[in-house]
Amino acid sequence: MKSLTRRLTLNITERMEFVNITPDVQDAVRDSAVEEGLCLVNAMHITASVFINDDEPGLHRDYKKWLEELAPFDPSPQRYHHNRTGEDNADAHHKRQIMGREVVVAITGGQLDFGPWEQIFYGEFDGRRTKRVLVKIIGE
Amino acid sequence: MKSLTRRLTLNITERMEFVNITPDVQDAVRDSAVEEGLCLVNAMHITASVFINDDEPGLHRDYKKWLEELAPFDPSPQRYHHNRTGEDNADAHHKRQIMGREVVVAITGGQLDFGPWEQIFYGEFDGRRTKRVLVKIIGE
Amino acid sequence: MKSLTRRLTLNITERMEFVNITPDVQDAVRDSAVEEGLCLVNAMHITASVFINDDEPGLHRDYKKWLEELAPFDPSPQRYHHNRTGEDNADAHHKRQIMGREVVVAITGGQLDFGPWEQIFYGEFDGRRTKRVLVKIIGE
């Protein structure tokens, strides 16, 4: 069994933003020399997501508006008890649960086994500091 | 290490529908001859889900109503920017994020290691065309 | 390839509660002797979740309030068709979809490869009876 572990570093200047990390994951798959296996990609932070969807700016704008409706940013300690700890990012912990922590992608013939429009995104909900994504590959 | 890759094809005539694909996944597990391992099942389309829950028609009706409330179908470009691209399926991209892209199920003793009521469903949110599900199994 | 299968048993006296199961998963990883691999942790019940987030009581209080808003408990058969079957837990099937069924965590150097605040929780939405969580580890 082969394995590869890689950490990607992201610096998002916005509070909420989505970044296409597919090329970085493809590089890791190539470097692993795994032909058949599984590739886990997860946010290493609990106010961020990794998800697969479309690389279409209008859709990303829709997601941001929708997530803001489902879990509004509100630094006050009234709406969110979490913000009584001195944090202001309770909303980000909620948004992350909607969009998910991780994806697992099949590797077939040495490539990410994607459907026609699948792209991997890092979703930041509490940006303006350095964050990391973990890529873990196992297979043969 | 053994591996198996299988693509299931689905043709859903409704816009939104859930299909129990557990027997197809069980067939793939049997054909893989994997005794101990992991089985990834994912939608290959970004307006569809694979999820595990109960095979109960009333619950599925509840899910559809709930998803329609959380992310209503609206082909107009006013509610969803994504629909300015000529698509009408922005709602389906949102519903899919709630229900998830994929499940990973343990294989133990050559069987899907399920709890008492777990069944695997394909969730279609933009049907009336051919879609695919990927089953990837690794183990020994 | 090595593998380990472990079932954790939980008895939650509340209807909705979150329990940090990280130490139990770490025990399983140690017992597996896997140095590089993947660890799947999933609820074996369809009204429960396994998720990764912060071990902060205020946040957990926020999650409960938010999930109750998104999918209110209502045993009547009017809101949820599922409750026409004699069940009263349709809301729990919805809450579980928001929080997710499972997590997959990388194992690196014999340890769960966590970011700074990641902890694994069992999320119960229909408690007061015995439930199980499955831990499946594969790797080398």
Side-chain angles (χ1 to χ4, degrees):
Chain A
M1 201 198 79
K2 293 173 186 166
S3 69
L4 179 142
T5 308
R6 182 161 296 172
R7 287 166 175 74
L8 312 177
T9 301
L10 293 109
N11 287 287
I12 313 283
T13 54
E14 302 298 313
R15 187 166 185 90
M16 180 156 47
E17 191 59 79
F18 307 136
V19 179
N20 190 335
I21 58 172
T22 312
D24 301 294
V25 181
Q26 287 170 324
D27 286 350
V29 171
R30 191 192 59 232
D31 294 350
S32 75
V34 165
E35 289 290 312
E36 299 294 321
L38 295 177
C39 177
L40 166 70
V41 188
N42 69 266
M44 299 188 76
H45 301 263
I46 53 187
T47 52
S49 289
V50 169
F51 66 94
I52 287 180
N53 218 296
D54 199 2
D55 198 357
E56 200 282 294
L59 179 65
H60 294 188
R61 182 169 168 166
D62 294 334
Y63 277 153
K64 288 175 193 168
K65 176 166 167 276
W66 182 64
L67 292 166
E68 199 58 37
E69 288 165 4
L70 289 175
F73 172 67
D74 184 345
S76 80
Q78 276 73 49
R79 183 191 299 258
Y80 299 114
H81 269 66
H82 181 58
N83 291 344
R84 298 183 185 185
T85 63
E87 296 280 359
D88 66 359
N89 63 6
D91 68 301
H93 289 275
H94 291 65
K95 288 169 172 126
R96 123 64 170 259
Q97 290 304 122
I98 296 282
M99 297 302 276
R101 167 187 178 261
E102 79 219 9
V103 295
V104 179
V105 185
I107 300 171
T108 305
Q111 308 278 336
L112 293 169
D113 198 337
F114 273 147
W117 297 100
E118 291 192 292
Q119 295 282 291
I120 306 173
F121 291 90
Y122 172 73
E124 176 62 80
F125 305 115
D126 183 27
R128 301 175 205 143
R129 42 193 174 135
T130 302
K131 298 283 188 80
R132 288 179 306 157
V133 166
L134 179 64
V135 183
K136 185 89 186 189
I137 295 164
I138 69 169
E140 260 182 12
Chain B
M1 201 197 78
K2 292 173 187 165
S3 69
L4 179 142
T5 308
R6 183 161 295 173
R7 286 165 176 74
L8 313 177
T9 301
L10 294 110
N11 287 287
I12 313 283
T13 54
E14 302 298 314
R15 187 167 186 89
M16 181 158 45
E17 192 57 81
F18 307 137
V19 179
N20 190 334
I21 57 172
T22 313
D24 301 293
V25 180
Q26 286 170 326
D27 286 350
V29 171
R30 191 193 58 231
D31 295 349
S32 75
V34 165
E35 288 288 315
E36 300 294 320
L38 295 177
C39 177
L40 166 71
V41 188
N42 69 265
M44 299 188 77
H45 301 264
I46 52 186
T47 52
S49 287
V50 169
F51 65 94
I52 286 179
N53 218 296
D54 199 1
D55 197 357
E56 199 281 294
L59 178 65
H60 294 189
R61 182 171 168 165
D62 295 333
Y63 276 154
K64 288 174 193 168
K65 177 166 165 274
W66 182 62
L67 292 166
E68 200 57 37
E69 288 165 4
L70 289 175
F73 172 66
D74 184 344
S76 81
Q78 276 72 50
R79 185 192 298 258
Y80 299 115
H81 269 66
H82 181 58
N83 292 345
R84 299 185 185 184
T85 63
E87 296 279 0
D88 65 0
N89 63 6
D91 69 302
H93 289 275
H94 291 66
K95 288 168 172 128
R96 125 60 171 260
Q97 289 305 123
I98 297 282
M99 297 302 277
R101 167 187 178 263
E102 79 217 9
V103 296
V104 179
V105 185
I107 300 171
T108 304
Q111 306 279 336
L112 293 170
D113 198 339
F114 274 147
W117 297 100
E118 290 192 291
Q119 295 283 289
I120 307 174
F121 291 91
Y122 173 73
E124 176 62 78
F125 305 115
D126 182 26
R128 301 174 204 146
R129 42 191 173 137
T130 303
K131 300 282 188 80
R132 289 180 306 158
V133 165
L134 180 64
V135 183
K136 186 89 187 189
I137 295 165
I138 68 169
E140 260 182 13
Chain C
M1 202 197 78
K2 293 172 186 165
S3 69
L4 179 142
T5 309
R6 184 161 294 173
R7 285 165 177 73
L8 312 177
T9 300
L10 293 109
N11 287 287
I12 312 283
T13 55
E14 303 296 314
R15 188 167 184 88
M16 182 158 44
E17 191 59 80
F18 306 136
V19 179
N20 190 335
I21 57 173
T22 313
D24 301 293
V25 181
Q26 286 170 326
D27 286 351
V29 171
R30 190 193 59 232
D31 293 350
S32 75
V34 165
E35 288 289 313
E36 300 294 319
L38 295 178
C39 176
L40 167 70
V41 189
N42 68 266
M44 298 188 77
H45 301 264
I46 53 185
T47 52
S49 289
V50 169
F51 66 94
I52 286 180
N53 218 296
D54 199 1
D55 197 356
E56 200 281 295
L59 179 65
H60 294 189
R61 181 171 170 165
D62 294 333
Y63 277 152
K64 288 174 192 168
K65 176 166 166 275
W66 182 63
L67 291 166
E68 200 57 37
E69 288 165 2
L70 288 176
F73 172 66
D74 183 345
S76 80
Q78 278 72 50
R79 186 191 298 259
Y80 300 114
H81 269 66
H82 181 58
N83 291 345
R84 299 184 185 184
T85 63
E87 296 279 359
D88 66 0
N89 63 5
D91 67 301
H93 289 276
H94 290 68
K95 288 168 172 127
R96 123 61 170 262
Q97 289 305 124
I98 296 282
M99 298 302 275
R101 168 187 178 261
E102 78 216 12
V103 296
V104 179
V105 185
I107 300 171
T108 305
Q111 307 278 336
L112 292 169
D113 198 337
F114 273 148
W117 298 100
E118 289 192 292
Q119 295 282 291
I120 306 174
F121 291 90
Y122 173 73
E124 176 64 78
F125 305 115
D126 183 26
R128 301 175 204 144
R129 39 190 176 140
T130 303
K131 300 282 187 80
R132 289 180 305 157
V133 166
L134 179 64
V135 183
K136 185 88 186 190
I137 295 165
I138 69 169
E140 262 183 10

